Amino acid sequence: MKNNNNNNTKLILLHPYIQKQGGSNRLWLLAFVSFFTIAFLLTLIYTRETLPIKTTTTTVATGSASSSTYGNINAALPTTVINTLLHYASRSNDSFHMSHAEIKPISDVLRKCSSPCNFLVFGLTHETLLWKALNHNGRTVFIEENRYYAAYYEELHPEIDVFDVQYTTKMKEMRELIASTKEQIKNECRPVQNLLFSECKLGINDLPNHVYEVDWDVILVDGPRGDGPEGPGRMTPIFTAGVLARSKKASNAKTHIFVHDYYRNVERIYGDEFLCRENLVESNDMLAHFVVEKMDENSFQFCRNRTSNSSTSSS
């Protein structure tokens, strides 16, 4: 019996020792896992905080390397690039694209324009992306009559700035509109004014405010539609271009205005009336190039030689 009791006693004494030994191992294991978990979390947090700094540093270093390797990032497009763009744009399969002879004068003016050049274009056309590319580092804004197409195009090309405008004119009214404009030439339709506050029928007054504050260096009228008596015609853009050019506030007093489809009556008559024959630099059947200078705010004549322009308009 003693032997049995002794054996039991030994078991009782050994049992708590083994249990303590196992508990100690678990505590060490738990401490070991906790240590590595905390270390991992600290490493993760430190890495996330330092990544943006490394990225920024890399970007700056890359930018400086690019500048030193490739030259000034704001430099103008090389002549070879411009010529290549003109070549492929003028050989498109689109039946409504401009020819090389029509694109080249506009490209030449944009190339000589002081940077940053302000370029305003009426109409989204086959050449839209070309104009944006040629006016490298400049501001190019497009005005489109179709709000749905404008939204679609801007979604397709987010780098393009497009504003839609609702034209209320009709081509069949072109002579009446000239007459009413002449009647209000000292009031709502004067040649020097901020069109944002104008009620002239030929003036566009519903564009964003900053469009009227920009001194545009180059303006191209290639929209809206000019076909059929019910179409809006380009009377309003031509008049608006003339007012914007004469109302400039910057030291650069001249604005280059191009009118496309100059063979048509509206484009030719309104060009002569509001951009003026004495400002016509060159023209052919498709494109007219005017250079219009800013005027004093008390001026009330679009053209210095009204007689020739009046006879042209009435013919």
Side-chain angles (χ1 to χ4, degrees):
M1 289 295 291
K2 285 183 178 180
N3 290 334
N4 291 337
N5 289 337
N6 290 337
N7 290 337
N8 291 337
T9 304
K10 288 180 181 178
L11 288 173
I12 293 170
L13 290 172
L14 289 173
H15 182 68
Y17 173 77
I18 294 172
Q19 190 172 10
K20 284 172 67 178
Q21 192 75 3
S24 176
N25 290 337
R26 291 192 187 94
L27 289 173
W28 276 107
L29 179 63
L30 179 62
F32 183 77
V33 171
S34 300
F35 172 77
F36 277 98
T37 302
I38 294 171
F40 173 75
L41 290 174
L42 289 174
T43 303
L44 181 63
I45 293 171
Y46 176 77
T47 304
R48 290 182 64 184
E49 289 179 350
T50 55
L51 272 177
I53 298 174
K54 291 181 180 179
T55 305
T56 305
T57 306
T58 304
T59 304
V60 173
T62 305
S64 59
S66 300
S67 298
S68 58
T69 306
Y70 301 105
N72 186 0
I73 195 171
N74 293 322
L77 286 175
T79 302
T80 52
V81 175
I82 294 175
N83 291 338
T84 302
L85 290 171
L86 299 187
H87 172 81
Y88 286 105
S90 62
R91 280 160 176 75
S92 168
N93 292 326
D94 191 328
S95 58
F96 296 102
H97 74 274
M98 283 186 177
S99 66
H100 185 274
E102 298 165 61
I103 297 175
K104 187 67 164 57
I106 304 172
S107 171
D108 290 343
V109 169
L110 289 174
R111 188 186 307 190
K112 297 174 184 176
C113 185
S114 59
S115 182
C117 186
N118 296 318
F119 187 21
L120 180 64
V121 183
F122 289 91
L124 287 176
T125 65
H126 172 79
E127 292 77 25
T128 294
L129 295 179
L130 175 66
W131 303 139
K132 175 67 175 177
L134 290 177
N135 192 24
H136 185 57
N137 295 323
R139 173 188 297 170
T140 307
V141 173
F142 297 87
I143 309 297
E144 170 59 28
E145 62 172 312
N146 188 326
R147 67 174 62 185
Y148 302 106
Y149 185 59
Y152 165 77
Y153 202 94
E154 201 167 26
E155 184 177 354
L156 200 62
H157 303 284
E159 74 278 12
I160 300 295
D161 291 326
V162 187
F163 300 108
D164 66 276
V165 62
Q166 301 300 311
Y167 294 101
T168 58
T169 56
K170 293 183 179 180
M171 286 184 60
K172 64 182 181 181
E173 305 170 340
M174 69 171 185
R175 298 193 184 279
E176 290 82 352
L177 287 170
I178 287 178
S180 65
T181 300
K182 287 182 176 180
E183 292 175 359
Q184 302 180 57
I185 199 166
K186 292 187 177 182
N187 296 302
E188 297 296 337
C189 301
R190 58 192 183 277
V192 180
Q193 62 171 308
N194 186 341
L195 286 172
L196 181 63
F197 308 105
S198 175
E199 294 298 328
C200 183
K201 291 181 180 179
L202 284 178
I204 299 177
N205 61 3
D206 56 350
L207 293 172
N209 292 9
H210 68 270
V211 175
Y212 302 100
E213 297 170 358
V214 174
D215 288 322
W216 299 102
D217 300 298
V218 186
I219 301 176
L220 170 62
V221 178
D222 200 11
R225 291 169 293 119
D227 52 342
E230 297 298 323
R234 297 175 183 174
M235 299 87 72
T236 299
I238 292 174
F239 173 85
T240 299
V243 173
L244 291 174
R246 292 177 175 89
S247 305
K248 291 176 71 171
K249 298 178 177 60
S251 57
N252 181 13
K254 296 181 179 180
T255 303
H256 294 265
I257 302 177
F258 293 91
V259 179
H260 193 224
D261 299 317
Y262 193 59
Y263 67 94
R264 300 191 299 204
N265 283 338
V266 167
E267 282 76 1
R268 188 174 294 274
I269 292 174
Y270 273 71
D272 291 348
E273 188 68 42
F274 299 112
L275 304 180
C276 307
R277 184 63 63 89
E278 66 259 22
N279 297 325
L280 183 62
V281 176
E282 59 179 340
S283 68
N284 52 45
D285 286 342
M286 294 302 298
L287 187 71
H289 178 194
F290 298 86
V291 177
V292 180
E293 295 189 16
K294 68 177 182 180
M295 297 175 63
D296 183 84
E297 62 180 354
N298 295 319
S299 300
F300 299 108
Q301 292 183 14
F302 281 88
C303 305
R304 291 187 297 272
N305 190 349
R306 291 189 302 171
T307 306
S308 62
N309 290 298
S310 301
S311 60
T312 304
S313 300
S314 59
S315 60

